[in-house]
Amino acid sequence: MKVEVREIEPLKLEVSVEIPQEVVDSTFDEIYKKLQKEARIPGFRPGKAPKNIIKARFGDYAKIEAIEAIFRENYPKILEEVKAKPIREPDIDDLDFDEGKALKFKLVMEVHPDFELKDYENIEVEIKKYVITDEFVDDYIEKLRENYAEYKDKDGVVEEGDLIVFEYEAFEGEKPIQEKKIEGATHIVGSSKNLKDHPNAFVFEAFDNAVLGKKVGEEFSFEVSYPEDYQDKNLAGKKITFKGRITAVKERILPELNEEFFKKFNVTSLEALKEKVRTELEMEYKRIAKNEAMNMIVDKLIEMHDFPVPPSMVENLLKEKLKNYEMDLRLRGIEPKEEDLEKAKEEIRKEAINEIKAEYIIAKIAEKEGIEVTRDEIEKNVEIMARSVNTTVEKMAEFLRNTGRLAKIVENIGFTKTLEVLLEKVKTKEVEVELKPEDKGE
């Protein structure tokens, strides 16, 4: 057998194969002998029909059987010659096959990358030790009170923390930009302070300033200039005027720090609540610190290893990520435009490449370290997923198998498990970070 390999693109090979005529003839002979024994031909006793009659009747069938047998027998040998692992079944091109001559064909295959692992044990990462301050605990308890707040109608002016119900219209110059007036909208005044990273933070801030000090029934108006690079191209670079009227003002009533409030958290005193909050925050921020350190390991591994990744895998992940990006924009009330998607595409492509590269690196490290996913680990994950959607483990497992998602779950478990092992092997430096109320956390 002759095998010639040519790289036509990175990780895409064209493999020219020639199977000798004697192999082809021998395979046909075996098939014809079997057919002679099994075929029932009128006018001939079983097994006595001449070969030329068998060939005339079953030639096409024999050809299909022969090429399948030859390919089945020789494909593993071809891969040994190629010294690469295909991502999926290859395409067959330029097939030249018939009885009495050598079989020739070309295989076009996309293959997994081959690369050497760098010295990952010398990676240096910071592990943050988050210190939960008394102020941070007090601020968290205050937010718990806000979560359980009640709102009651008030007659006075709008103050920070009040919930207002309002109606409004938006204009570009004198032209309305909406089909009709928006009614029954709600907003907690002052909430813009906690939305500094939101793309509409500047709108919320202007709105807060416009309604503070107003009363029920009074009108308000404010003007904002949207930046040129604003995500919604219908508003980008435009000056918009909002005009509206307050239809209700509700005062926020925070619950007292008393026995009734403590019962909601299964404690009996403020000190006990503080201790519980501190313990839960310490656990949460240990998890955050661990995830941050593992993400840092991934970033450093990607920097250390330079190799191409299969284009088809990149394109598939890119499509999935773009779909999620579009959905995210729509959930934020922004209709995605073609130019927005094109602008984001290259950055998302880089993310996809790095994700795939990380999966290859981690998988290779797992193989080297002998890290395997156990049946118990898979079952525990499936059980957690089943509980989250209130179904049985059996039904969840069946769903995951049928949708092809079980393999990805196993891959994710292995990925995390390997990073946990790496976290014990790499060089680490602990950095203390004191958390204050203004810290948002992760």
Side-chain angles (χ1 to χ4, degrees), residues 206-425:
F207 181 40
D208 284 345
N209 292 333
V211 298
L212 281 168
K214 300 282 186 181
K215 293 183 178 180
V216 174
E218 291 188 343
E219 296 180 344
F220 64 85
S221 69
F222 63 94
E223 186 178 83
V224 293
S225 295
Y226 285 87
E228 293 290 343
D229 60 350
Y230 188 69
Q231 288 174 316
D232 187 344
K233 297 303 177 187
N234 292 324
L235 297 174
K238 294 181 179 179
K239 189 176 286 186
I240 303 297
T241 302
F242 292 87
K243 297 179 181 181
R245 186 174 68 89
I246 299 169
T247 56
V249 179
K250 296 177 182 288
E251 180 183 8
R252 181 176 61 181
I253 309 296
L254 296 177
E256 296 292 330
L257 289 171
N258 54 24
E259 187 177 347
E260 184 181 349
F261 184 73
F262 300 146
K263 276 182 181 178
K264 298 179 189 296
F265 307 96
N266 297 316
V267 295
T268 56
S269 67
L270 179 57
E271 286 308 310
L273 179 59
K274 285 183 177 182
E275 189 59 35
K276 181 172 185 174
V277 165
R278 184 183 296 278
T279 300
E280 291 179 355
L281 285 173
E282 284 174 349
M283 288 175 61
E284 174 63 11
Y285 275 90
K286 276 182 183 177
R287 183 192 65 78
I288 289 170
K290 180 181 175 182
N291 286 341
E292 287 175 335
M294 291 197 299
N295 287 338
M296 196 180 298
I297 290 172
V298 171
D299 290 342
K300 287 181 178 285
L301 285 170
I302 291 169
E303 286 176 21
M304 289 167 61
H305 295 86
D306 183 22
F307 59 88
V309 294
S312 66
M313 292 177 70
V314 174
E315 289 306 313
N316 288 340
L317 186 55
L318 177 61
K319 285 178 187 175
E320 184 183 328
K321 283 180 165 291
L322 279 172
K323 188 177 177 182
N324 292 338
Y325 177 71
E326 284 186 64
M327 188 180 297
D328 181 59
L329 288 179
R330 288 193 171 98
L331 288 173
R332 289 156 59 188
I334 301 168
E335 187 60 31
K337 305 291 182 186
E338 193 62 37
E339 56 264 35
D340 298 333
L341 298 177
E342 282 301 316
K343 188 177 177 182
K345 195 171 184 178
E346 282 315 302
E347 193 58 39
I348 296 173
R349 183 186 294 278
K350 289 176 188 175
E351 290 176 15
I353 290 170
N354 283 339
E355 278 187 33
I356 295 167
K357 188 177 280 190
E359 287 172 3
Y360 275 115
I361 298 167
I362 294 296
K364 198 154 193 172
I365 292 172
E367 185 180 2
K368 182 181 176 183
E369 298 287 344
I371 300 166
E372 295 180 350
V373 177
T374 66
R375 186 181 183 87
D376 282 348
E377 289 166 337
I378 298 169
E379 288 175 351
K380 281 177 185 174
N381 271 264
V382 174
E383 187 179 340
I384 291 168
M385 294 177 72
R387 274 205 307 268
S388 70
V389 293
N390 196 29
T391 189
T392 64
V393 173
E394 292 75 16
K395 286 183 178 177
M396 177 56 71
E398 184 182 1
F399 168 76
L400 293 172
R401 278 193 298 269
N402 292 341
T403 56
R405 298 181 189 181
L406 191 59
K408 188 63 182 174
I409 289 169
V410 174
E411 185 182 308
N412 290 342
I413 296 170
F415 193 93
T416 303
K417 194 173 179 179
T418 304
L419 283 174
E420 287 173 342
V421 170
L422 285 175
L423 198 54
E424 297 297 321
K425 286 181 172 285

Side-chain angles (χ1 to χ4, degrees), residues 131-152:
V131 179
I132 311 297
T133 61
D134 292 342
E135 296 88 348
F136 197 74
V137 171
D138 291 342
D139 184 67
Y140 190 88
I141 290 173
E142 196 62 22
K143 286 183 172 60
L144 290 178
R145 292 179 71 203
E146 290 173 6
N147 290 343
Y148 284 91
E150 295 180 355
Y151 289 89
K152 296 183 179 179

